[in-house]
Amino acid sequence: MKLIALPAFSDNYLWLWQQGKHAVVVDPGDDAPVFEALARHELTLTAILVTHHHADHVGGVAQLHQATGAHVYGPAREEVPAPFTPVMSGDTLNLLGQTVQVIDVPGHTAGHVAYFLPDALPHPVVFCGDTLFSGGCGRIFEGTPAQMLASLDALAALPGNTQVCCAHEYTLGNLRFALAVEPDNTDLQAYTAQCQQRRANGQPTLPAQLGNELQINPFLRSRHPVVRRAVAQHAHLSFDEENNDVAVFAALRQWKNDFK
Ligand SMILES: [Zn+2]
């Protein structure tokens, strides 16, 4: 299978997954870049996967569905602007010969789901919408910090070689914050230099590699003693709060929200 990141709006990626002359698109917030890519590569759109209801993820769903007849799958607990098959954790789809496992990842929105392809070659792939970003995570709009932490834990448990297809090019901004949290993390320093180079060359920093994210992403490292201490100092947490995983994670997310 081949993964194509279609840039849209100011910093979105619409992920197109191609197999032979067929394709699946994930979170088409805009239809134009998808129609253009289908025409350029002479592809038939087989299915549309939606991770959550935000407009920059579903804005092109209705037009693409109408024009191509592609089947739409979306989160069971959210609205999608086209007829769709609702999916949730435990559901398995088979698309373009790939097994697709649905994982509930609430937090950014109440019903957010991710799509995991365990048998994809050369490496497993996860489409995680706005839950996990390279070096960061989504804002908590509808869920709770406890839900978001559990959702990130579920993604962190996937195989280390999983390619993480995030929906936004937020990496450099996230890494600037990550370095404020962990200035002495040498993996983080090296990865930042690598991503700066990629952006300077006009390339996406994505997909990210999950194993690397575990070494550099503060939101996957909130239980690490160094991160915990940095958050406790920044947010003036009490001893009890510093030893409470959810309290530390919530304070870390708040720190990022306020970070300039
Ligand atoms: Zn969103």
Side-chain angles (χ1 to χ4, degrees):
M1 71 179 277
K2 188 174 162 196
L3 284 171
I4 304 171
L6 303 175
F9 309 116
S10 57
D11 52 29
N12 284 69
Y13 289 124
L14 320 181
W15 288 96
L16 198 71
W17 137 35
Q18 177 188 349
Q19 188 81 52
K21 284 290 164 196
H22 294 267
V24 171
V25 70
V26 184
D27 286 352
D30 190 5
D31 56 323
V34 182
F35 281 126
E36 198 271 329
L38 294 174
R40 179 159 29 101
H41 302 287
E42 299 178 335
L43 300 173
T44 302
L45 190 65
T46 301
I48 300 168
L49 301 179
V50 172
T51 65
H52 68 293
H53 68 84
H54 285 160
D56 61 325
H57 295 253
V58 301
V61 169
Q63 296 87 330
L64 286 166
H65 169 72
Q66 265 169 18
T68 68
H71 198 96
V72 184
Y73 299 87
R77 292 185 294 150
E78 297 194 356
E79 299 287 324
V80 175
F84 73 109
T85 299
V87 297
M88 61 175 77
S89 257
D91 287 345
T92 298
L93 315 174
N94 196 297
L95 296 172
L96 305 186
Q98 290 288 338
T99 299
V100 181
Q101 297 172 351
V102 181
I103 308 171
D104 285 339
V105 286
H108 177 70
T109 62
H112 200 304
V113 297
Y115 298 92
F116 177 55
L117 283 58
D119 305 321
L121 293 175
H123 302 296
V125 171
V126 68
F127 299 103
C128 59
D130 288 352
T131 299
L132 177 61
F133 296 122
S134 184
C137 76
R139 280 182 186 256
I140 302 170
F141 286 123
E142 297 173 9
T144 64
Q147 283 180 324
M148 192 60 155
L149 179 58
S151 295
L152 292 176
D153 284 344
L155 295 175
L158 299 176
N161 63 350
T162 299
Q163 299 184 78
V164 184
C165 295
C166 320
H168 289 274
E169 181 61 69
Y170 286 161
T171 310
L172 292 184
N174 287 338
L175 294 178
R176 211 163 54 76
F177 173 71
L179 282 166
V181 178
E182 283 193 281
D184 300 327
N185 180 334
T186 52
D187 292 326
L188 176 56
Q189 293 162 359
Y191 181 61
T192 301
Q194 193 186 319
C195 289
Q196 284 168 338
Q197 191 61 54
R198 275 194 221 147
R199 294 307 290 151
N201 294 339
Q203 296 166 337
T205 59
L206 304 170
Q209 197 221 38
L210 184 62
N212 183 61
E213 291 299 312
L214 297 175
Q215 303 303 317
I216 63 96
N217 187 327
F219 294 94
L220 298 181
R221 297 168 60 74
S222 62
R223 295 181 186 87
H224 190 287
V226 171
V227 175
R228 198 183 278 275
R229 193 82 274 274
V231 173
Q233 275 179 352
H234 176 83
H236 307 291
L237 298 186
S238 69
F239 180 81
D240 282 351
E241 288 167 336
E242 182 175 346
N243 288 288
N244 178 310
D245 292 347
V246 174
V248 170
F249 181 79
L252 176 65
R253 185 57 252 184
Q254 190 58 49
W255 184 1
K256 173 70 165 68
N257 292 351
D258 300 336
F259 188 72
K260 297 276 185 284

